[in-house]
């Protein structure tokens, strides 16, 4: 079986796996359509948010970080529902990202397959645990995770993490290290911590071309997030309204970013979003510290 056949099979598999989520979400949405549009936040708000954040995500800038800030500040999505919603709302747009990048950027097929499978397994094993986590645990996890992601983005921006690799594939111990890392990234996706920045850092550190990070992280995320999101829908542990509007306008944002925006200065954009990431981390952690202090005072 040649590489082109495997690539075609992979693209078909992406569509089929995402159909599991699409069908499950469509049925759940239809059953709860009236209460869905009574959720907090306007339809226009979620449409604009989905369009803009998915444009950023198409260029590797974490929509998780941006939307964590939005939801924690607006209170439109309950704290306990933020992590699963961050997954469900980006599932369909991410499918289109994966199809675009895998089909247009050269990457070793074996490396791509191994890393996709590793992250998918990590994602499958964690949704039931995440659904039962206390809101406090989730906020601490998101705050610390975002801080780590911010540090990784910063190190990449100042070229502390090498971004001049040329490899398009991995073998031996490097492939094993990457697979273990992707397994962990799949798990942390389900507690609202985006895997884009950690994946980029891993790819850079192992000497691969920065460009190869895009088909790897989009390909791995579309499988792991689609399956994890389908489980969140089954557990009815997510916000339906943002998920619905992101599916439409978030996907539109992906196509605009992929085919219309040719001269965007991604370097400057990442500095801006770095500020968003660090602000989100600071807000979550500082609020939890204040909460702890309040609890001690009340005791």
């Amino acid at each position: 079986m040649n590489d082109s056949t495997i690539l075609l099979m992979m693209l078909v598999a992406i569509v089929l796996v995402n159909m599991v989520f699409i069908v499950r979400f469509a049925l759940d949405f239809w059953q709860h359509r009236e209460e869905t549009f009574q959720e907090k936040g306007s339809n226009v708000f979620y449409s604009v948010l989905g369009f803009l954040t998915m444009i950023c995500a198409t260029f590797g800038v974490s929509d998780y970080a941006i939307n964590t800030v939005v939801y924690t500040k607006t209170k439109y999505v309950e704290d306990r529902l933020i992590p699963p919603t961050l997954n469900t709302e980006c599932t369909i747009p991410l499918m289109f990202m994966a199809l675009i990048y895998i089909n247009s950027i050269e990457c070793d097929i074996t490396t791509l397959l191994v890393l996709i499978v590793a992250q998918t397994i990590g994602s499958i094993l964690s949704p039931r645990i995440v659904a039962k986590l206390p809101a406090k645990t989730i906020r601490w996890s998101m705050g610390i995770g975002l801080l780590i992601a911010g540090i990784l983005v910063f190190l990449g921006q100042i070229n502390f993490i090498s971004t001049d690799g040329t490899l398009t594939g991995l073998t031996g111990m490097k492939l094993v290290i990457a697979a273990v890392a992707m397994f962990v990234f799949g798990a942390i996706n389900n507690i609202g911590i985006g895997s884009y920045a950690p994946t980029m850092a891993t790819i850079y550190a192992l000497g691969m071309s920065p460009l190869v990070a895009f088909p790897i992280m989009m390909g791995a995320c579309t499988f792991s997030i689609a399956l994890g999101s389908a489980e969140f829908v089954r557990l009815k542990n997510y916000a339906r309204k943002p998920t619905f509007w992101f599916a439409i306008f978030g996907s539109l944002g992906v196509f605009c970013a992929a085919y219309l925006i040719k001269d965007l200065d991604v370097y400057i954009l990442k500095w801006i979003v770095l500020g968003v990431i660090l602000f989100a981390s600071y807000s979550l952690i500082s609020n939890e510290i204040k909460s702890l202090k309040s609890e001690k005072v009340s005791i």
Side-chain angles (χ1 to χ4, degrees), residues 136 139 286-296:
K136 182 181 293 291
R139 287 193 292 267
S286 63
N287 286 340
E288 287 308 301
I289 292 175
K290 289 177 183 177
S291 177
L292 287 174
K293 289 181 179 179
S294 298
E295 289 175 4
K296 288 182 180 180

Side-chain angles (χ1 to χ4, degrees), residues 1-292:
M1 188 178 296
N2 57 38
D3 286 356
S4 60
T5 302
I6 296 175
L7 180 62
L8 177 60
M9 292 174 64
M10 186 181 302
L11 296 175
V12 171
I14 288 173
V15 175
L16 292 177
V17 168
N18 275 272
M19 284 303 298
V20 175
F21 167 78
I22 292 171
V23 170
R24 188 169 287 181
F25 170 64
L27 292 173
D28 184 65
F29 170 79
W30 184 254
Q31 291 172 359
H32 301 88
R33 58 191 181 279
E34 292 185 4
E35 60 190 86
T36 293
F37 293 109
Q38 293 176 2
E39 292 179 9
K40 293 181 180 179
S42 71
N43 298 333
V44 173
F45 172 82
Y46 284 124
S47 299
V48 173
L49 181 66
F51 180 78
L52 295 177
T53 56
M54 286 301 111
I55 284 179
C56 292
T58 306
F59 288 95
V61 179
S62 177
D63 55 292
Y64 279 39
I66 298 172
N67 292 336
T68 296
V69 174
V70 173
Y71 295 149
T72 54
K73 291 302 178 183
T74 62
K75 303 299 181 183
Y76 285 164
V77 178
E78 295 178 46
D79 285 343
R80 69 180 183 85
L81 295 181
I82 290 177
T85 301
L86 293 174
N87 283 270
T88 58
E89 68 188 8
C90 76
T91 301
I92 295 175
L94 183 56
M95 174 184 69
F96 292 118
M97 287 185 216
L99 293 172
I100 291 168
Y101 280 126
I102 290 176
N103 198 44
S104 60
I105 296 176
E106 180 183 357
C107 180
D108 174 64
I109 291 296
T110 300
T111 300
L112 193 58
L113 283 173
V114 170
L115 299 188
I116 284 175
V117 170
Q119 182 160 325
T120 302
I121 293 174
S123 176
I124 292 172
L125 296 180
S126 60
R128 287 183 176 83
I129 298 174
V130 174
K132 298 177 182 179
L133 287 175
K136 182 181 293 291
T137 301
I138 292 173
R139 287 193 292 267
W140 272 111
S141 298
M142 288 193 293
I144 294 172
L146 287 169
L147 177 61
I148 294 171
I151 292 171
L152 291 174
V153 172
F154 175 75
L155 293 177
Q157 291 294 86
I158 64 173
N159 294 321
F160 184 83
I161 296 176
S162 175
T163 60
D164 57 358
T166 58
L167 298 176
T168 58
L170 297 172
T171 57
M173 187 53 64
K174 283 189 174 183
L175 183 57
V176 172
I177 293 172
V180 172
M182 296 299 283
F183 175 87
V184 174
F185 301 158
I188 66 175
N189 266 335
N190 288 317
I191 56 172
I193 301 172
S195 62
Y196 287 172
T199 299
M200 283 183 170
T202 301
I203 295 304
Y204 300 162
L206 293 174
M208 297 186 76
S209 166
L211 196 59
V212 176
F214 286 89
I216 289 175
M217 64 189 180
M218 303 307 182
C221 283
T222 194
F223 280 101
S224 63
I225 288 181
L227 292 174
S229 294
E231 187 67 5
F232 283 130
V233 172
R234 187 186 70 81
L235 296 170
K236 304 189 185 306
N237 188 55
Y238 74 112
R240 296 182 181 89
K241 183 185 279 189
T243 301
F244 175 78
W245 289 114
F246 269 61
I248 300 171
F249 288 93
S251 298
L252 181 60
V254 169
F255 284 104
C256 287
Y259 295 116
L260 299 179
I261 301 177
K262 302 296 183 182
D263 300 316
L264 180 65
D265 191 335
V266 180
Y267 178 77
I268 293 176
L269 180 60
K270 286 186 178 181
W271 276 116
I272 295 172
V273 176
L274 173 60
V276 174
I277 292 173
L278 294 179
F279 178 71
S281 176
Y282 168 77
S283 298
L284 289 164
I285 293 175
S286 63
N287 286 340
E288 287 308 301
I289 292 175
K290 289 177 183 177
S291 177
L292 287 174

